[in-house]
């Protein structure tokens, strides 16, 4: 099944505009996820919003955002008011600033997205903007509304497309000197340095995504698979709704387990 675009809109540079779509560059959908169950009934536990004073459940239509200005005193903001904030950057990424790529440090980068043309007619305009930034080794800086908050974003040309990074807000980045100032500034031991350098050379490997694999994830899959084999599926209660279970779950788990076994063989790095 094709992944639906996270966002659709327009990329704009001066008078050049093209329709684009944005997709998350990372995913956690393959992670093992758990539901909270009632141990006695084995039914799922459902959470609800409860009024802190009356103790009564709050209906979805009655949930509203509030900004606290005093004790038990809130300013209520309706959904329409929140959606109307920064409308200009809701559907258009208007690049008005360019910066050298190496001038934006890693700590400012937050979440990556893949930006690509959303219409064949706009591919030429998209390619011109991308290639011009690449030729100058520049990135574009703009603003975009994501999840009702306007974010500064950085657009970096990458191959045939553009990687859009959301940037952290200024008050989210802490000054490194605050944490490094107590470190002794004397030079490293000249006798130990060659030994450490030799160790680094010996342990040097080309980057591989397997270097950041999750061993806990693999162990969880093994436990789940072992329990699946031992535990019989409970009979369905009369009148119960059938569960929609993907047909390929077992195959995927088998493939994952075999992949882990291959990687763990002696002599396999």
């Amino acid at each position: 099944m094709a992944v639906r675009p996270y966002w659709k809109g327009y990329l704009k540079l001066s008078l050049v505009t093209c329709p684009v779509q944005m997709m998350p560059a990372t995913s956690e959908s393959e992670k093992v996820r758990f539901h909270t169950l009632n141990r006695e009934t084995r039914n799922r536990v459902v959470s609800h919003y409860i009024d802190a004073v009356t103790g009564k459940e709050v209906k979805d239509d009655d949930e509203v955002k509030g900004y606290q200005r005093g004790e038990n005193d809130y300013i209520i903001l309706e959904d329409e008011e929140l959606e109307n904030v920064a409308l200009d950057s809701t559907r258009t990424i208007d690049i008005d600033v360019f910066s050298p790529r190496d001038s934006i440090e890693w700590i400012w980068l937050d979440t990556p997205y893949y930006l690509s043309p959303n219409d064949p007619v706009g591919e030429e305009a998209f390619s011109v903007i991308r290639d011009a930034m690449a030729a100058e080794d520049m990135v574009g800086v703009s603003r975009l509304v994501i999840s009702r908050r306007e974010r500064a974003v950085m657009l970096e040309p990458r191959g045939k497309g553009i990687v859009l990074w959301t940037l952290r807000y200024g008050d989210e980045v802490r000054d490194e000197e605050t944490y490094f100032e107590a470190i002794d500034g004397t030079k490293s031991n000249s006798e130990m340095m060659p030994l450490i350098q030799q160790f680094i050379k010996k342990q040097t490997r080309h980057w591989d995504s397997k270097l950041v694999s999750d061993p806990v994830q693999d162990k969880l899959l093994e436990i789940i698979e072992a329990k699946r084999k031992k535990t019989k599926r409970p009979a369905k209660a009369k009148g119960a709704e059938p569960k929609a279970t993907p047909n390929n779950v077992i195959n995927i788990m088998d493939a994952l387990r075999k992949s882990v076994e291959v990687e763990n063989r002696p002599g396999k790095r």
Side-chain angles (χ1 to χ4, degrees):
M1 182 182 295
V3 180
R4 296 178 58 185
Y6 179 79
W7 176 90
K8 287 183 178 182
Y10 296 89
L11 176 63
K12 183 175 183 292
L13 175 59
S14 185
L15 301 179
V16 179
T17 303
C18 60
V20 292
Q21 61 183 3
M22 195 167 75
M23 308 286 288
T26 59
S27 171
E28 294 189 354
S29 62
E30 301 301 320
K31 293 288 186 182
V32 174
R33 299 183 183 277
F34 299 99
H35 295 290
T36 301
L37 306 180
N38 181 334
R39 184 188 296 275
E40 294 183 0
T41 65
R42 303 180 75 88
N43 296 328
R44 286 185 58 184
V45 175
V46 180
S47 61
H48 297 282
Y49 282 105
I50 303 296
D51 189 300
V53 177
T54 66
K56 295 182 179 180
E57 182 178 333
V58 180
K59 298 179 181 178
D60 291 345
D61 293 341
D62 292 331
E63 294 174 14
V64 65
K65 302 296 183 184
Y67 177 82
Q68 187 172 9
R69 62 180 176 184
E71 186 175 357
N72 298 323
D73 184 13
Y74 298 88
I75 297 174
I76 292 178
L77 295 174
E78 300 293 343
D79 289 345
E80 294 78 9
E81 295 175 300
L82 295 172
E83 291 171 357
N84 288 333
V85 175
L87 282 179
D88 290 342
S89 56
T90 300
R91 289 297 173 192
T92 303
I93 304 171
D94 191 353
I95 308 176
D96 54 3
V97 174
F98 291 93
S99 300
R101 174 62 186 90
D102 58 8
S103 68
I104 302 179
E105 296 186 81
W106 62 270
I107 198 169
W108 293 97
L109 305 182
D110 190 4
T111 306
Y113 296 88
Y114 292 136
L115 196 68
S116 60
N118 191 33
D119 191 316
V121 177
E123 285 189 13
E124 183 177 4
F126 180 90
S127 299
V128 168
I129 295 174
R130 176 201 64 206
D131 293 345
M133 288 194 294
E136 298 295 327
D137 195 20
M138 292 284 182
V139 295
V141 178
S142 184
R143 304 193 73 83
L144 176 65
V145 172
I146 300 177
S147 300
R148 293 181 174 175
R149 296 193 70 184
E150 188 176 65
R151 305 292 300 270
V153 297
M154 182 191 82
L155 290 88
E156 179 180 15
R158 182 72 59 86
K160 295 180 180 180
I162 293 174
V163 175
L164 181 147
W165 284 89
T166 57
L167 300 177
R168 300 185 190 279
Y169 295 102
D171 57 1
E172 292 179 337
V173 176
R174 295 174 175 175
D175 184 5
E176 63 186 39
E177 290 302 323
T178 303
Y179 305 92
F180 297 160
E181 61 183 0
I183 299 176
D184 189 354
T186 57
K187 291 185 178 181
S188 303
N189 187 306
S190 58
E191 295 181 359
M192 293 180 59
M193 182 68 73
L195 298 175
I196 299 299
Q197 289 174 326
Q198 288 179 21
F199 181 79
I200 291 174
K201 289 179 181 179
K202 183 179 179 181
Q203 296 297 107
T204 297
R205 294 171 56 187
H206 288 292
W207 165 255
D208 189 317
S209 60
K210 293 174 183 175
L211 293 173
V212 288
S213 62
D214 185 354
V216 174
Q217 185 86 350
D218 296 336
K219 290 292 184 182
L220 285 173
L221 288 172
E222 291 177 7
I223 293 172
I224 292 171
E225 178 66 4
K227 284 181 172 287
R228 184 188 68 80
K229 291 180 177 179
K230 291 181 179 179
T231 307
K232 292 183 178 180
R233 186 172 296 180
K236 294 181 181 178
K238 189 174 181 180
E241 291 293 329
K243 295 183 179 180
T245 303
N247 294 328
N248 62 341
V249 171
I250 296 176
N251 292 336
I252 291 175
M253 291 181 65
D254 288 342
L256 285 172
R257 190 175 64 256
K258 290 179 181 178
S259 297
V260 172
E261 291 174 354
V262 170
E263 291 304 318
N264 288 336
R265 287 176 184 171
K268 182 74 174 179
R269 293 194 65 183

